[in-house]
Amino acid sequence: MRLRARSTAIAAVLLLAATSGLADYAVQVAALADPALLARAAADLREAGYPVLTEPLTTKQGQKLTRLMVGPYRDKKEAEAAAAQLAAGGWPGYVRAYRSPSVSREESPAASVSASPPAPEARAEAPPTAPAPSPAAPPPAPAEPRSSEPESAAESGQSAEAEAPSALPLAPEKTSERGVTLRGLFQSEGAYTYRSPEHWSKFRNLLEANLSGRLSENVRWTLGGRVWYDAIYSLTDFYPKSVRDDAEFVAAFRETYVDVSAGDFDLRLGRQQIVWGEVIGLFFADVVSARELREFLARDLDFIRTPQWALRLEWTKGDFHAEAIGIPYMTYDEIGVPGSDFYPYPPPVPGAVTIILGEKRPPHTLSNGAWGARLSSLVGGFDVAAFYYNSVDVSPAFSRAIEATDPAPTVIYTPEHFRIWQTGATISKDLGSVVVKGEAVYTSGRELPVTRLQEADGLVPQNTIDAIVAAEYTAPGGTRVNVQLFTRAIPSRDPDLFAMTGFDPGGSLDVATKLFADRLELEALGVTSFKDQGWMARFKARWLFGPRLRLLAGADLFGGSSVGFFGRYKNSSRYVAEARYTF
């Protein structure tokens, strides 16, 4: 599954052959000892439309393996795009230099195929594994790792079976004679909320598509979008009209950009994912992305993460990578409207009448945009990075006004966005069967709610430090166990901060395995606060019928205090099911 793919991709090298101008490039997706397993994996790749290469390999420990690769590609950018596509389909891998002994560059079977960037939601993403710091700063949600480690897990001594990819990769792209690639998915989703009041809460039909192509050798383009219709609002009258208007029909651009490459420099202009985190499943260091939170954290990563309209300039030299971004037109979190199952209601004021106004977003001007930079490098086998980001907070804070009315005062809340700046660092290391990671982020000026009624708007600016450490172990049979511990520190904490301002100590456990030749995927996730902010548990079973079709059944459960970060959603606990067709 994708979370496993991403943990293996932590060991991927971004630039293995920057100095090898004559070499082709290939994407290594596995290194296997079992000939039968190798043959099956190669057959699955070919069936999905990928050109397959194999090459013998002897590890430092003397183990005899065979590399399984896709390619060759004529340039690094094509190979990197193919690697992203493969990872999205459940085939973790990394780009390496490759020179076929018998096939010239002109005869390369992959040379004429335009590899596309990863298709949105190509396979299920592991759900987010931890909550956000506060209602004013919605939950940390999943993030995609980056790395430039040069060795795969198999080459560093990991079991060959643990390195084996899923036998059911993403469906091949459709490429026109002009090199335009079409990929996407259609998905039907249902949910039944079983706690009082019981009700059907979702019957959504979603279409997501991505077109990509090239204008020249160094210029590529991508056009992506998502649209859904949720028939539950037509079939039932449980929700108010405002919720129906907000969530019944939604259409939005996804990744839509132009890429220009020139030597060591790459420029991307348009709506794009900018991922700065290393920890799987969380938005700690992933400070740039906005999020789709109409269903809180009860969704997969690719559904939650929302691209930004940005200009991004990158420079890569050996193991060093630098990037600068500018966002002139901000995209903000989608939190829904009052009356929806997962609306993040602000702190209650006892004995008062509460009114919540519509969200107030800043005008789309350059002064309300964002900018930042990130540097990363491979140092002694550790992938380390540091960043700075100045933006309007993508998460709203609920400002408060109190009016004296009879027979009780009226409290008026308005979701608003305020300017903050953030700096942080990430680190990751692949130790073979175990991957360890850490992130720390300092945020200046985040507005958090207080219980003090004398505070004019009910908010105070606070500086916060959010940190997380994680370890993920992949067993030889493919079972994956991910453990994470996280916390938030507020150096000059206001004594009247509302208790739900964030997760002080907390932890998560995510366990996943595959059965029946990788066709059945089982996953259980638990997240809890070590204080009384509640817990969340998610259970999923996916049955893969082939490279195109999958079915899912599961449950999303919440518990704890009714004013806790998770407990406030305990009446929204639900059973879920979905069917997905990938094209």
Side-chain angles (χ1 to χ4, degrees), residues 75 78 107 109 135 150 161 167 175 182 188 230 268 271 289 316 331 431 445 453 460 488 504 541 566:
D75 62 46
E78 284 185 310
E107 294 168 334
E161 285 74 19
T175 304
L182 171 64
S188 288
D230 196 333
R268 176 169 291 182
R271 192 168 173 86
S289 296
T316 304
T331 299
L431 302 175
L453 297 181
V460 294
R488 156 171 286 190
D504 291 317
F566 286 123

Side-chain angles (χ1 to χ4, degrees), residues 187 208-209 263 404 429 438:
Q187 183 164 295
E208 192 156 342
K429 174 66 174 176

Side-chain angles (χ1 to χ4, degrees), residues 234-396:
S234 299
L235 298 174
T236 72
D237 57 2
F238 181 83
Y239 296 99
K241 182 178 182 299
S242 58
V243 176
R244 174 175 181 168
D245 292 343
D246 176 69
E248 181 179 31
F249 179 82
V250 173
F253 282 105
R254 297 296 290 167
E255 290 199 290
T256 300
Y257 54 77
V258 173
D259 273 333
V260 181
S261 298
D264 296 329
F265 290 91
D266 298 286
L267 176 68
R268 176 169 291 182
L269 178 62
R271 192 168 173 86
Q272 57 189 282
Q273 303 282 10
I274 300 174
V275 179
W276 284 358
E278 294 288 353
V279 175
I280 293 173
L282 303 175
F283 263 116
F284 273 71
D286 271 316
V287 296
V288 181
S289 296
R291 290 153 291 188
E292 169 54 70
L293 296 174
R294 289 183 177 95
E295 294 177 77
F296 187 47
L297 295 181
R299 289 306 309 252
D300 295 335
L301 168 63
D302 279 354
F303 187 91
I304 291 176
R305 183 186 292 114
T306 303
Q308 292 280 7
W309 293 103
L311 183 149
R312 182 183 189 185
L313 178 64
E314 300 178 82
W315 179 66
T316 304
K317 198 69 174 179
D319 292 327
F320 181 77
H321 180 83
E323 62 184 282
I325 63 170
I327 301 176
Y329 187 100
M330 288 287 294
T331 299
Y332 299 98
D333 289 351
E334 291 291 349
I335 62 172
V337 297
S340 56
D341 289 339
F342 293 101
Y343 188 76
Y345 284 97
V349 176
V353 176
T354 299
I355 296 176
I356 300 177
L357 302 180
E359 186 174 354
K360 182 179 179 182
R361 293 182 174 180
H364 290 292
T365 62
L366 288 178
S367 61
N368 289 323
W371 57 276
R374 180 178 183 267
L375 305 177
S376 63
S377 185
L378 189 65
V379 181
F382 288 84
D383 191 357
V384 296
F387 64 85
Y388 175 85
Y389 185 56
N390 191 306
S391 71
V392 176
D393 198 342
V394 296
S395 306

Side-chain angles (χ1 to χ4, degrees), residues 200-560:
W200 289 99
S201 47
K202 180 170 63 170
F203 182 39
R204 179 179 298 159
N205 294 285
L206 179 148
L207 176 65
E208 192 156 342
N210 178 287
L211 279 171
S212 62
R214 62 169 62 231
L215 300 178
S216 68
E217 184 67 23
N218 298 320
V219 181
R220 297 176 176 83
W221 59 270
T222 292
L223 173 62
R226 172 191 290 169
V227 59
W228 82 59
Y229 168 68
D230 196 333
I232 204 68
Y233 303 107
S234 299
L235 298 174
T236 72
D237 57 2
F238 181 83
Y239 296 99
K241 182 178 182 299
S242 58
V243 176
R244 174 175 181 168
D245 292 343
D246 176 69
E248 181 179 31
F249 179 82
V250 173
F253 282 105
R254 297 296 290 167
E255 290 199 290
T256 300
Y257 54 77
V258 173
D259 273 333
V260 181
S261 298
D264 296 329
F265 290 91
D266 298 286
L267 176 68
R268 176 169 291 182
L269 178 62
R271 192 168 173 86
Q272 57 189 282
Q273 303 282 10
I274 300 174
V275 179
W276 284 358
E278 294 288 353
V279 175
I280 293 173
L282 303 175
F283 263 116
F284 273 71
D286 271 316
V287 296
V288 181
S289 296
R291 290 153 291 188
E292 169 54 70
L293 296 174
R294 289 183 177 95
E295 294 177 77
F296 187 47
L297 295 181
R299 289 306 309 252
D300 295 335
L301 168 63
D302 279 354
F303 187 91
I304 291 176
R305 183 186 292 114
T306 303
Q308 292 280 7
W309 293 103
L311 183 149
R312 182 183 189 185
L313 178 64
E314 300 178 82
W315 179 66
T316 304
K317 198 69 174 179
D319 292 327
F320 181 77
H321 180 83
E323 62 184 282
I325 63 170
I327 301 176
Y329 187 100
M330 288 287 294
T331 299
Y332 299 98
D333 289 351
E334 291 291 349
I335 62 172
V337 297
S340 56
D341 289 339
F342 293 101
Y343 188 76
Y345 284 97
V349 176
V353 176
T354 299
I355 296 176
I356 300 177
L357 302 180
E359 186 174 354
K360 182 179 179 182
R361 293 182 174 180
H364 290 292
T365 62
L366 288 178
S367 61
N368 289 323
W371 57 276
R374 180 178 183 267
L375 305 177
S376 63
S377 185
L378 189 65
V379 181
F382 288 84
D383 191 357
V384 296
F387 64 85
Y388 175 85
Y389 185 56
N390 191 306
S391 71
V392 176
D393 198 342
V394 296
S395 306
F398 285 80
S399 64
R400 183 191 68 202
I402 301 177
E403 295 183 357
T405 55
D406 288 327
T410 299
V411 178
I412 303 172
Y413 284 104
T414 304
E416 298 188 63
H417 296 263
F418 299 90
R419 192 154 203 98
I420 59 173
W421 64 264
Q422 297 170 286
T423 186
T426 67
I427 185 169
S428 68
K429 174 66 174 176
D430 189 338
L431 302 175
S433 59
V434 177
V435 178
V436 294
K437 313 180 199 82
E439 297 182 7
V441 180
Y442 176 85
T443 302
S444 176
R446 174 159 278 156
E447 298 285 341
L448 298 178
V450 291
T451 58
R452 191 168 55 245
L453 297 181
Q454 293 81 1
E455 198 69 43
D457 62 357
L459 299 171
V460 294
Q462 296 279 270
N463 300 330
T464 62
I465 302 173
D466 296 289
I468 181 168
V469 292
E472 181 169 304
Y473 169 71
T474 303
T479 298
R480 175 186 50 79
V481 179
N482 181 279
V483 179
Q484 301 179 119
L485 298 173
F486 43 85
T487 190
R488 156 171 286 190
I490 303 178
S492 300
R493 190 184 189 109
D494 189 297
D496 295 325
L497 276 183
F498 187 68
M500 205 167 56
T501 54
F503 252 51
D504 291 317
S508 70
L509 175 65
D510 188 16
V511 180
T513 191
K514 295 184 179 182
L515 303 169
F516 305 114
D518 293 345
R519 292 185 180 273
L520 177 62
E521 300 177 347
L522 302 176
E523 183 175 3
L525 163 72
V527 186
T528 186
S529 166
F530 299 155
K531 293 189 176 181
D532 189 24
Q533 295 195 41
W535 55 269
M536 176 181 71
R538 299 190 65 199
F539 303 94
K540 292 188 289 185
R542 302 185 190 90
W543 184 265
L544 309 179
F545 288 91
R548 299 180 184 275
L549 179 64
R550 79 167 199 199
L551 300 181
L552 177 147
D556 304 318
L557 314 178
F558 306 90

